[in-house]
Amino acid sequence: MKEEVLKKFGELHGDTQGVNVYFAPGRVNLIGEHTDYNGGHVFPCALTIGTYVAARKRTDRKLTFYSMNFDRLGVVEGSLDDLTPAKEAEWTNYPKGVMWAFAGRGMEMDRGLDIVLYGNIPNGSGLSSSASLEVVTGYVLKDLYGFDVSNVELAKIGQYSENNFNGMNCGIMDQFASAMGKKDNAIFLDTADLSYEYAPLVLNGAKIVVTNSNVKHSLVNSAYNERRSECETALEELQTVVDIKGLGDLTEEQFEAHKGAIKSEVRVKRAKHAVYENQRTIRAVAALKNNDLKLFGELMNASHVSLRDDYAVSCEEIDVLVEEAWKVDGVIGSRITGGGFGGCTVSIVRDEAVDTFKDKVGAAYIERVGKTADFYVVEIGDGPRRL
Ligand code: GLA
């Protein structure tokens, strides 16, 4: 990929002298979904696919952006003097938002930038192409302009820009997983205080298979923001009876004892998911440490049921993929992953069952939904870097 983005850069800007190429990964979340804005735990890992950027400082204050994924848009121009979200060419709002967030923290770019980008995360798949773009942009700024920022800071800046520049009230998980990724490890992150621990993913004869439903339902962002505000209201209601900072502070028993304070049935379900999912995640990581992959898989399955029934962020296509996965011998666990309403499922599948898994789930998906699914046997990779 490095060569491809460099070549494109040369075609567009005449030469590639002094151009650097950078990479930041996408992520898949194994368990702990919709807990990251509730002060709960998540357990994602960085992938080896992600976003590549060729970048070089300019001598003026202009910005140019080119995405090899959206060739039809051509070179999109901007300026350091106008870091506001654009309606057209929306992808450029991600790097622009990061530049804006850096400037807001006193890290002003003195000169403009030419950026050529290529991403190999399937678009709209829920594997965090936007977070990887935010993190790679932050890494470019850190490296080219000498800004002193840690990778955790890059994650926070990415989330801040996505919330405040792009209007998506995401939590910190995706940016954290991309910025802090470590080969062959998942990240057990407590979003209440950002303490984290790497957990080696020793799957002993099993693989992580990501299945792309190839559907992305509209209104994803508004539905996501709605879930988030439902949880916030439920938290305020609970805070009238119990002293907590986030839903992640509650055990299941405490939740059951206090849930009467929540004044709508829908909100009880949303909060229940957040509380139970957090506890499931803690248990799942302990199970992994005990080499109890079976329990890990059962918790993944329970996570799916909760996201489907209580949190209502699944959809027919994803439910079909998960149900069909559960039927295959050698599947340890399978669930929706990411924000929901389409995108991907994540499954842990015994080595010898991977081919059967693809055949059976793929065929059933065509038969029941009339669409083709894509399968990726993924590897866990490192965080952002200059290549
Ligand atoms: C999206 C958000 C994350 C997280 C997940 C759900 O990926 O960007 O912050 O909330 O959804 O777990």
Side-chain angles (χ1 to χ4, degrees), residues 27 29 31-37 42 126-128 130-131 159 162-163 168-175 224 228 273 277 307 311 313 335 337-340:
R27 65 93 189 93
N29 188 23
I31 191 161
E33 215 68 81
H34 290 277
T35 47
D36 66 343
Y37 48 85
V42 292
L127 300 176
S128 295
S130 23
Q159 184 204 13
E162 184 145 348
N163 291 171
M168 159 70 174
N169 291 331
C170 63
I172 188 83
M173 170 170 73
D174 305 349
Q175 291 80 4
Y224 181 96
R228 191 171 172 153
H273 167 77
E277 178 77 353
L307 287 156
Y311 218 64
V313 289
R335 56 181 286 275
T337 186

Side-chain angles (χ1 to χ4, degrees), residues 343-373:
C344 291
T345 66
V346 59
S347 312
I348 299 188
V349 185
R350 295 229 170 270
D351 290 347
E352 63 278 11
V354 170
D355 288 338
T356 321
F357 174 86
K358 291 183 192 170
D359 290 348
K360 288 205 170 156
V361 177
Y365 192 59
I366 293 177
E367 197 189 303
R368 291 180 59 185
V369 175
K371 292 194 176 88
T372 307

Side-chain angles (χ1 to χ4, degrees), residues 27 49 69-70 94 119-132 210-218 220-221 315 318 336-345 374 376:
R27 65 93 189 93
I49 50 174
N69 299 81
F70 299 108
Y94 292 103
N120 57 1
I121 300 175
N123 269 336
S125 59
L127 300 176
S128 295
S129 54
S130 23
S132 76
V210 170
T211 306
N212 191 348
S213 67
N214 289 314
V215 292
K216 185 185 180 195
H217 292 289
S218 54
V220 174
N221 287 8
C315 58
I318 290 286
I336 186 172
T337 186
F341 308 103
C344 291
T345 66
D374 289 319
Y376 325 111

Side-chain angles (χ1 to χ4, degrees), residues 242-377:
V242 56
D243 183 21
I244 50 168
K245 288 209 175 63
L247 297 175
D249 291 342
L250 293 175
T251 61
E252 292 104 327
E253 295 72 29
Q254 287 166 326
F255 175 75
E256 295 302 332
H258 297 299
K259 68 180 183 192
I262 304 173
K263 297 203 167 40
S264 107
E265 238 168 75
V266 167
R267 283 199 299 277
V268 171
K269 284 179 159 195
R270 306 298 190 244
K272 178 179 178 200
H273 167 77
V275 171
Y276 280 63
E277 178 77 353
N278 179 45
Q279 297 301 327
R280 261 193 294 273
T281 306
I282 296 169
R283 242 173 258 144
V285 176
L288 193 68
K289 283 185 185 161
N290 290 332
N291 284 320
D292 190 347
L293 213 51
K294 186 168 169 282
L295 177 57
F296 190 88
E298 285 164 11
L299 291 162
M300 285 176 76
N301 297 346
S303 164
H304 183 76
V305 171
S306 176
L307 287 156
R308 183 190 66 194
D309 299 345
D310 286 337
Y311 218 64
V313 289
S314 191
C315 58
E316 192 206 333
E317 293 89 345
I318 290 286
D319 288 341
V320 166
L321 288 176
V322 170
E323 276 166 30
E324 295 297 331
W326 287 343
K327 290 183 194 163
V328 178
D329 266 352
V331 169
I332 294 165
S334 184
R335 56 181 286 275
I336 186 172
T337 186
F341 308 103
C344 291
T345 66
V346 59
S347 312
I348 299 188
V349 185
R350 295 229 170 270
D351 290 347
E352 63 278 11
V354 170
D355 288 338
T356 321
F357 174 86
K358 291 183 192 170
D359 290 348
K360 288 205 170 156
V361 177
Y365 192 59
I366 293 177
E367 197 189 303
R368 291 180 59 185
V369 175
K371 292 194 176 88
T372 307
D374 289 319
F375 298 88
Y376 325 111
V377 177

